[in-house]
Amino acid sequence: MLILVVNAGSSSLKYQVRDTAAPEAEQVLTVGLIENIGTDIPDHDAALEIMAAKLEEVLDGRELEAVGHRVVHGGEEFTQPVLLNDAVTAHIEELSSLAPLHNPANVKGIRAAFHKWPHLPQVAVFDTAFHATMPEHAWRYAIPEELYKQYGIRRYGFHGTSHEYVTHVGAELLGIPVDEFNAVVAHLGNGASATAVKGGKSIDTSMGYTPLAGLIMGTRSGDIDPSVLTTILQRDESIDAARLDTILNKESGLLALAGSNDMRKVVEAAQAGDERAQLALDMTAYRVASYIGAYNVAVGGAQAIIFTAGIGENSGDFRKLVLDRLGALGVKYNAEENMVRSPEPRVISTEDSAVKVLVIPTNEEKAIAEATEALATK
Ligand code: ADP
């Protein structure tokens, strides 16, 4: 099936066309990015026209058969991919208060695609959905119940499509049925999260109500004592809630600690003797290792630790910093194998390691295309 995968942001639109019937290596027909929506390009409809013109050249007469959309927030309602219609799209729009930066843009992308291709089946795949299986003791916050009831304040978790995809690939690689597979997944990109996977399902994850919680990220602080925030707001009148939100989301993390949110640069700086960069790496790796330890308990003993996304897949230096802290779990890894870069899923632990360590390239577009095909052909 020829499927267009769309990831619509507020000012940009990423897309990929995949042929799910083609051999693995030939599934991607084209990838693209349209930027400056809202400035150079008036709106998402205009962006879609530009994309459609580009697709016409590449597809050479072949017709798209379905569209799959990445949607950030599915709230408590959407726990599976869903076939889109006007009512479902309106429902996704209603969840905008939970993801004010993302859902409105996702909805614009969906509506623009329906204007352009009204006859095509379209599917939404949610970043939160994989985490719908978390037990309440993991997703509730210890705050007054009205705040949950009124505002939906609870842990939702994100990066679900990626966590689910690498869980399945990891189980297959080890020859374990996925519903018997216990793992801790570390998705380490610009945004980063860890997930506790038991029997192939998410039972806890480090991101929370928003993608700010948990690990130290490129520009996000991750976990922080909430009274730090009230203290800043009370002490510094020049900082209001919106400014604080920007500081924590865009000016913190590796950027604040080491002056760059690019892991390659931070590693290079540390290797050249920059002490700030080394501290940033130590803090970031320590946080990842701590979550892995905690989630190893949550899943009742993991069979595997999975590294994925930009840093998790590519930075042997960063993986080493994490793995060297996991000796108490009986983790042993092959130092040379750890430094190899490869596009293939692989095992980097030694035979006698108590837990397997896997490096698995994520592929959210592939997962979205497969989910889209499954619903579009139903
Ligand atoms: P996003 O969350 O934006 O999708 P990615 O998954 O692309 O992020 O990850 C981006 C991060 O991956 C950056 O910190 C980048 O420095 C890091 N990265 C990419 N390639 C390498 C590499 N070869 N070595 C170390 N870090 C890398």
Side-chain angles (χ1 to χ4, degrees), residues 132-149:
T133 47
M134 285 189 291
E136 187 164 3
H137 66 251
W139 62 252
R140 272 295 278 270
Y141 291 129
I143 55 174
E145 191 170 358
E146 308 91 88
L147 295 172
Y148 162 54
K149 292 257 160 78

Side-chain angles (χ1 to χ4, degrees), residues 155 183-184 194-196 204-206 290-302:
R155 181 187 306 282
V184 181
T195 293
D204 201 357
T205 193
S206 61
S290 300
Y291 266 96
I292 291 174
Y295 287 170
N296 188 51
V297 172
V299 305

